Amino acid sequence: MSSSEKEGGGVSAQNRGSWSAFLKSIASFSGDLSSLTAPPFILSLTSLVEFSSYWAEHPSIFVAPAKENDPEKRALLVLKWFLSTLKQQYASRSDKFGNEKKPLNPFLGELFLGKWVDEAGTTELVSEQVSHHPPVTAYQIANKEHGVYLQGYNAQKASFSRTINVKQIGHAVYSIPAYGETYLITLPNLHIEGLIFGAPFVELNDKTYITSNTGYTAKIDYSGKGWLSGKKNSFTATMYRTRKEKDVLYTVTGQWNKTWDIYEGSKKSNVIDTYDAEALPTTPLTIAPTEQQDPLESRRAWQKVAEGIAVGDMDLVGAEKTKIEESQRELRRQEKSDGRLWERRYFSLVENDSILAKLAPAIGLAPEEDKTGGVWRFDEKKAAGQATKTTTAAPPTSTEKHSELK
Ligand code: HC3
């Protein structure tokens, strides 16, 4: 990759041909993003299974609701945490590399495990690819000291109309068991901007909701720059008592990658808090050194592919990807002949999920189970089995020995 590409200055002369061929190829694209073939210079070294970590890069904001006694203020703090994750989720990669690259497609069973250790204590991440066709990633993030849990799963469906449009399927569930509190969170649809200039980045569309069993709902409306007016990455969120949308308790508005203000009610005069997304440093995730990772852990499994991409050796990339694909095919063949399915390590499918049954109707969420292979939930029993395996197999690695994600 040329230095101008690294800095987001568009496609270099050398890559212009492959970029325009890519633009032509996507005009008729729809379906799984995993089947999108992008030119080598826009390939990321990171697998999509890692993206679950964007939910908790500010652990203190993630756990803050647990310290608040008032349910209304707690709901506002959950909204604040959700909004604080948007910059990490949707802008951190283009901020860092100048463009949004194509992530590696996780294989079935791929894992990404890590923890954040900071003033919020220890916050643990488990992310697992629970389905390959369609691609679905499930995750749980837990801070046991503060009693805060997030779990969810997501898939994406893409279509092309002027640009790549991505519909997110799935949802997240934030819970604080001490208060018996659960929040159902929907995921924003997005599209890719800047394709024509060879510097793709994400813009969010439409609206999402956060609704709680304590009777509060937040609606977040996303809008972008547009042709004539507006600022990039803009949003307005309102929080109200569920089904009482007109009686706004709080309004939050601004740019999710920059600054935003929280107001009491709907009047812009009553600012009660301001958030600066650029000012607050993230806590780095610690993960085990590659050689100590399980063979299914993402960084270990993709190590050689990532090395090939980093040096532009596409023969190595192709050969190493084929090895992963072949071993996956062999596993599927064995499972078929034994009449069994791949056993997910941390998640299980559930029927008649009580969270969705209770909370989804208030925000009109249709779970689209056919597009995610069902409803995936963190399975405590399975996870406990995994923990026993790691403690008996190897001594726990200390944080100092861990390498950082960033
Ligand atoms: C669309 C996307 C892959 C999916 C990414 C998701 C939706 C994954 C779940 C995370 O929680 C949030 C998230 C953030 C960004 C989304 C990615 C942005 C771009 C990527 C496409 C597959 C890449 C398109 C390729 C190219 C070359 C046009 O950038």
Side-chain angles (χ1 to χ4, degrees):
M1 188 194 296
S2 76
S3 59
S4 73
E5 275 160 7
K6 268 188 204 147
E7 287 151 15
V11 183
S12 66
Q14 185 198 351
N15 289 324
R16 234 165 257 158
S18 63
W19 188 249
S20 53
F22 171 65
L23 292 185
K24 277 184 204 136
S25 77
I26 56 176
S28 56
F29 179 81
S30 91
D32 272 355
L33 284 160
S34 53
S35 60
L36 194 74
T37 313
F41 71 87
I42 204 109
L43 298 180
S44 162
L45 316 184
T46 307
S47 161
L48 210 49
V49 80
E50 293 201 19
F51 282 39
S52 310
S53 65
Y54 293 130
W55 284 107
E57 292 197 321
H58 294 122
S60 306
I61 308 181
F62 175 65
V63 302
K67 297 181 201 157
E68 173 58 59
N69 285 323
D70 177 55
E72 184 177 303
K73 289 191 183 134
R74 252 191 335 261
L76 182 63
L77 287 171
V78 172
L79 172 62
K80 182 176 174 184
W81 155 74
F82 171 80
L83 295 170
S84 78
T85 69
L86 297 177
K87 177 175 157 58
Q88 312 311 128
Q89 299 258 24
Y90 302 104
S92 57
R93 295 162 304 280
S94 40
D95 283 353
K96 195 170 164 194
F97 303 114
N99 56 26
E100 185 72 65
K101 296 185 187 304
K102 170 146 192 322
L104 294 164
N105 300 322
F107 54 85
L108 179 60
E110 186 175 326
L111 298 169
F112 187 60
L113 311 172
K115 60 185 175 187
W116 297 268
V117 183
D118 65 1
E119 65 282 0
T122 300
T123 309
E124 289 170 282
L125 165 75
V126 170
S127 179
E128 178 172 9
Q129 192 68 13
V130 290
S131 170
H132 188 59
H133 291 300
V136 183
T137 310
Y139 51 87
Q140 164 167 277
I141 296 175
N143 184 305
K144 291 181 185 145
E145 279 134 279
H146 291 276
V148 176
Y149 299 82
L150 177 79
Q151 63 164 304
Y153 60 93
N154 48 261
Q156 300 87 35
K157 283 277 169 263
S159 61
F160 190 89
S161 154
R162 285 206 305 220
T163 186
I164 300 174
N165 300 293
V166 180
K167 181 176 183 307
Q168 287 209 72
I169 302 150
H171 57 267
V173 176
Y174 179 103
S175 53
I176 315 176
Y179 295 116
E181 201 158 282
T182 308
Y183 296 79
L184 178 63
I185 302 168
T186 63
L187 311 171
N189 295 332
L190 57 98
H191 66 272
I192 307 289
E193 296 261 358
L195 269 182
I196 198 83
F197 306 111
F201 66 92
V202 167
E203 184 63 271
L204 302 180
N205 307 334
D206 311 327
K207 53 181 182 247
T208 61
Y209 291 93
I210 305 176
T211 192
S212 74
N213 63 349
T214 44
Y216 296 96
T217 297
K219 179 173 104 172
I220 305 121
D221 269 299
Y222 305 92
S223 62
K225 200 164 172 352
W227 286 104
L228 295 169
S229 61
K231 282 186 183 163
K232 197 176 155 185
N233 307 155
S234 299
F235 74 92
T236 297
T238 51
M239 196 185 110
Y240 45 89
R241 286 193 184 83
T242 303
R243 297 183 199 278
K244 299 216 165 102
E245 198 175 334
K246 296 244 157 69
D247 299 332
V248 174
L249 299 170
Y250 298 98
T251 305
V252 191
T253 188
Q255 285 172 284
W256 49 258
N257 64 329
K258 291 203 162 99
T259 55
W260 35 272
D261 296 319
I262 306 181
Y263 306 92
E264 214 167 78
S266 46
K267 285 214 188 79
K268 284 207 169 176
S269 49
N270 307 330
V271 180
I272 55 165
D273 195 6
T274 293
Y275 183 83
D276 183 349
E278 285 167 331
L280 205 67
T282 54
T283 299
L285 182 76
T286 56
I287 59 170
T290 317
E291 63 286 359
Q292 286 174 29
Q293 289 178 15
D294 185 282
L296 294 180
E297 281 188 71
S298 188
R299 298 273 177 103
R300 178 164 168 189
W302 290 106
Q303 188 175 22
K304 295 214 172 99
V305 172
E307 280 167 12
I309 296 173
V311 297
D313 181 346
M314 296 320 285
D315 291 337
L316 176 65
V317 173
E320 291 300 328
K321 271 193 176 172
T322 305
K323 280 188 199 164
I324 295 178
E325 283 157 13
E326 260 313 309
S327 82
Q328 284 290 305
R329 271 189 218 114
E330 182 49 31
L331 283 170
R332 302 296 85 81
R333 271 194 290 270
Q334 277 173 20
E335 285 154 20
K336 202 171 173 192
S337 79
D338 298 352
R340 60 182 167 85
L341 292 173
W342 173 259
E343 182 71 21
R344 278 75 177 167
R345 287 206 186 165
Y346 294 92
F347 296 87
S348 291
L349 285 169
V350 298
E351 272 167 32
N352 308 319
D353 178 72
S354 58
I355 299 166
L356 287 174
K358 190 163 191 315
L359 297 176
I363 51 170
L365 174 69
E368 299 188 283
E369 291 168 34
D370 52 320
K371 298 196 176 96
T372 56
V375 173
W376 295 95
R377 291 284 178 247
F378 187 71
D379 188 323
E380 296 287 352
K381 259 196 194 155
K382 282 185 177 177
Q386 292 304 321
T388 331
K389 255 194 233 164
T390 43
T391 42
T392 48
T397 46
S398 75
T399 310
E400 294 78 58
K401 279 196 232 151
H402 285 182
S403 64
E404 287 183 357
L405 175 64
K406 290 208 176 103

